[in-house]
Structures are given as C-alpha cells and as structure tokens.
Amino acid sequence: MTDSATPPDCPAVTGLILSGGGARAAYQVGVLAAIAELLPEGAENPFPVIVGTSAGAINAVGLACGALSFTGAVERLTQVWKGFRTGQVYRADWFGVFSQAFKFLGHSLLGLGKREPVALLDSTPLRYLLERELDLSGIAAAVRRRNLRAVAVTAFGYESGQAVTFYQGRATIDPWLRHRRIGVPTRLRTEHLLASSAIPLLFRPVKILREFFGDGAVRQQAPISPALHLGANRVLVIGVSGNPTVGSANEQVANYRTGQPPSLAQVGVHLLNSTFIDNLEGDIELLHRINFLSSLVPEEARRATLGLAPVEVLLISPSRPLDDIAAQYRHELPPALRLFLHGPGATKASGAGVLSYLLFEPGYCNALIELGYRDAMEKRAEIARFLGMEDWSL
C-alpha cells in the first residue's frame, strides 16, 4: 500500500518503521531479507532513518549497528532469529518459570520486595543475548560515514506517562517535545532496548536515569512520528498485525461467535493487539488522510502550512493471520511454559494470539521469516519503485 509522493524539490529521505510485537518481529526479518536480496550488489543502506519499538527496536538497532553493510546486518539478524529458543529471551526452565511466578505474586499481592520491579517472566537472558550479538559502536561508525542519519527506539515512562524516543544520529537533529511524546538524543545502550521491549506485566520495566520505562508501544499514538522528526519524508512500514479481514463486518462477527466466555488468554491478546497494532494502523490511516488533504491545498499554501507536507508510505504486513501460525507450533512451547499458560487458555487454539507474541521457537520464527520473505517478494515491484531502483532485475 503506497500513498502520495515526495515533492520533486525535496530530497528523498527514506525511513524504516519496525513495529513491536514480541516473536512476531521475526516477520520483519523475512521482509528485510527479501529487500537485501533485491538490492544491487554493493548497495548502501537504503534506510538512513531507522525507527523501532519493542522487539522492532531490537531489529532496528541490529540494522543500525551493521549499517555499513546492510546485507551483512540482515544476514546476522536472520541467523539469530532462525536459531531462536524461548530460553534466550526469558527463562523457560521449570525453576525459572515458577520461581518468577511466586515472586510476582508475592510482590503484587503481599507487597514483598516493592523496591524492585517484577513481572511474570524473567527476561534476564535477553540482556545476555543483546550484549553478545550487538556491537553498538557500529552505530557511531555508520553515522560518521553517513550510511545512517539516525536510529531511534521508543519506550514508555511509567511515571511521566510520556512516549520517549531515544535516538542516536547526526548532531544537526534537534530534540522534540509534543503532547505525551518527546525525542531525546543519547548514545543507545542495551538498557534502551530492554526498556523498549518490556511488555507490561510480562517483562519487568527498566530504569533509565531516574525513571522506569516499559514497552514503547504503550500510548505511542503516533508510531510514524519519530521517523518524520528525524528527517524522513517517506517511510516503509513493516507491520505485524497479520489479521487480514475478508468479507463484511457482519460475516466477521458471525464467524467468531462461539457463545463461550472469553479466556484470560483471549482478553490478554486483545490488550496486546490494542497496544502493538491498533496505534500503528490508526497512524497510517491518519497519514493517508493528511496526504489527501495536502493534495487539495495549493502548492504555495502547502509550503507555508506546517504538517501538510506529503509523506509517501509503503506498508508491508502479513498476508496470513499470525495467530493461526502460532497455533500450529504451540507444541514447541517449553513444558514449563506450556503448563504455566495452560490455565489462562494460551495453549488452546483460541488463545494462540498470546503465543504469537511469546513463542520464540525455531519452527514458528522460521515460518514467519518465510512468510515475510514471500510477502515482500510479492511486492518487489512496489519496493523497487519506492526505493527509486526501478532498474533492478525483478
């Protein structure tokens, strides 16, 4: 899906938006692998602005660290995701799962250990993974060599209620302050990635300076906005909704009616979807409307009016429901987690939406990578036009 075009007198600055979604972010890697394969040999990084949230923040920084060789960075990301095990992201062994659950209950119900934040899952392994796989010094090198304008990750401040975008890039980029969203220049560290990917209740918040931060998708009402603040005037968005609607609204409602009360897993997945998916889709829809309004305004007035510059958008999102794919691979869930999630209903087909966020296992991740690759290849002509490379061999 594309919309509008960059004005001819305005240099094109392409931004890449990687949304959140836990294990769903494997889909993004498949799309990126297809783009890397389509690029001419020796091509530079096609995305001078890279913005990520939640698990998308980890993919974004992974690309930025290797921006001097985009293809090489994508290959490294692909290798990591293809070999993922749940235990590399959060503890999935018997002792780790149930000791963390008891700690969470003691903290939440009895007030024990209030000085330290806790969550349902222990995400300590993720820190070790990030420190082992990411060379954050590569960001500064890419910015210095002008292969990268800026990379940004967004986290949510629990006390301030602000969606804070931490960015590293050229010194000419000014910080910004808008209603409940601000941009802060910094040197990105592992803490920023852990904070951005800390799904509420599931993973514990991370303290940065004097405030605890959690998943950046919370209250991020304008996910595309940081890329525009960083100088992008055209954006490629890789979504992870994977719930395409077919047929009328009445047919959709009829198809999903069972007459049964919702399980805790079903309630949870709706909360997760509203956090990770709805804001992005709503922001894209708003951007299309602004582009349409911009096309109706005379050129002279458009130049003098803030917020009406057209922004070209290309959206690539899953062609299949990711919940259905997760249900096919729920047997891969480690035994301790399978028992832990059985009660809330997450191990049933109706609760597979929760698994689609938590199932960091090879079968599921590889299936999403393959889906992302196929979806991108289906749109290879659009991608070539969007990146200004119509002479690619398609």
Side-chain angles (χ1 to χ4, degrees):
M1 178 172 60
T2 60
D3 191 20
S4 186
T6 304
D9 59 341
C10 183
V13 179
T14 305
L16 175 66
I17 310 292
L18 300 176
S19 59
R24 290 177 175 228
Y27 175 84
Q28 298 169 351
V29 177
V31 175
L32 293 170
I35 294 174
E37 184 175 311
L38 292 171
L39 283 172
E41 186 176 354
E44 294 186 351
N45 170 34
F47 305 108
V49 173
I50 306 175
V51 176
T53 304
S54 192
I58 296 174
N59 285 340
V61 170
L63 285 179
C65 289
L68 292 178
S69 174
F70 179 78
T71 300
V74 172
E75 288 176 352
R76 285 190 293 274
L77 272 178
T78 304
Q79 289 173 358
V80 171
W81 277 95
K82 282 188 172 182
F84 249 142
R85 293 287 181 180
T86 300
Q88 294 177 284
V89 180
Y90 55 91
R91 290 194 61 176
D93 59 286
W94 288 98
F95 180 79
V97 168
F98 287 97
S99 64
Q100 187 68 19
F102 286 126
K103 187 183 297 184
F104 178 81
L105 290 174
H107 181 278
S108 303
L109 300 181
L110 303 178
L112 302 176
K114 281 191 173 182
R115 290 182 177 274
E116 289 296 327
V118 297
L120 282 169
L121 301 172
D122 182 358
S123 57
T124 302
L126 179 58
R127 174 183 289 274
Y128 300 143
L129 176 70
L130 296 177
E131 291 176 346
R132 184 177 69 249
E133 296 293 340
L134 295 178
D135 178 10
L136 296 176
S137 64
I139 298 176
V143 172
R144 189 167 53 250
R145 296 272 295 273
R146 297 201 172 263
N147 285 69
L148 183 71
R149 178 181 174 85
V151 57
V153 303
T154 300
F156 170 73
Y158 278 101
E159 288 188 275
S160 65
Q162 297 271 18
V164 181
T165 298
F166 299 98
Y167 68 90
Q168 182 175 345
R170 297 181 188 174
T172 55
I173 301 174
D174 295 325
W176 62 88
L177 174 61
R178 298 293 185 270
H179 178 62
R180 293 197 178 279
R181 48 191 174 92
I182 62 177
V184 178
T186 189
R187 192 175 187 88
L188 292 177
R189 297 178 291 113
T190 303
E191 279 72 19
H192 295 104
L193 301 182
L194 293 172
S196 182
S197 57
I199 301 174
L201 297 181
L202 294 178
F203 302 139
R204 66 182 180 181
V206 177
K207 193 172 186 179
I208 299 176
L209 298 178
R210 292 178 295 176
E211 185 174 11
F212 280 97
F213 287 86
D215 200 296
V218 178
R219 301 189 71 170
Q220 190 184 26
Q221 298 177 353
I224 297 176
S225 174
L228 305 184
H229 282 294
L230 295 172
N233 49 26
R234 55 214 305 276
V235 291
L236 188 150
V237 181
I238 306 179
V240 293
S241 61
N243 291 300
T245 56
V246 180
S248 67
N250 288 335
E251 289 174 339
Q252 288 293 311
V253 172
N255 288 339
Y256 287 102
R257 281 179 181 162
T258 64
Q260 300 295 320
S263 66
L264 185 58
Q266 286 175 299
V267 174
V269 75
H270 283 296
L271 292 176
L272 288 171
N273 287 345
S274 65
T275 298
F276 292 105
I277 295 171
D278 294 350
N279 283 341
L280 178 62
E281 294 179 344
D283 200 28
I284 292 174
E285 183 177 350
L286 176 61
L287 190 57
H288 289 330
R289 291 178 180 176
I290 293 176
N291 283 341
F292 176 72
L293 177 63
S294 174
S295 68
L296 302 178
V297 176
E299 182 66 26
E300 296 76 14
R302 187 190 309 166
R303 292 174 181 271
T305 305
L306 293 176
L308 283 183
V311 177
E312 187 175 6
V313 182
L314 174 60
L315 171 65
I316 302 176
S317 59
S319 57
R320 289 183 56 197
L322 302 192
D323 297 5
D324 293 350
I325 300 176
Q328 296 173 14
Y329 291 96
R330 61 182 183 270
H331 64 276
E332 292 191 341
L333 200 66
L337 281 170
R338 196 177 308 145
L339 178 61
F340 182 66
L341 296 175
H342 176 75
T347 56
K348 301 177 182 178
S350 60
V354 171
L355 290 186
S356 71
Y357 289 91
L358 296 177
L359 191 56
F360 292 91
E361 292 294 330
Y364 176 62
C365 290
N366 279 275
L368 296 197
I369 292 172
E370 292 173 9
L371 179 63
Y373 179 86
R374 290 198 304 269
D375 287 349
M377 283 300 185
E378 286 290 325
K379 290 191 173 185
R380 57 188 179 274
E382 290 181 65
I383 294 172
R385 186 204 60 77
F386 180 80
L387 295 178
M389 302 290 287
E390 288 90 342
D391 58 339
W392 287 351
S393 177
L394 301 176

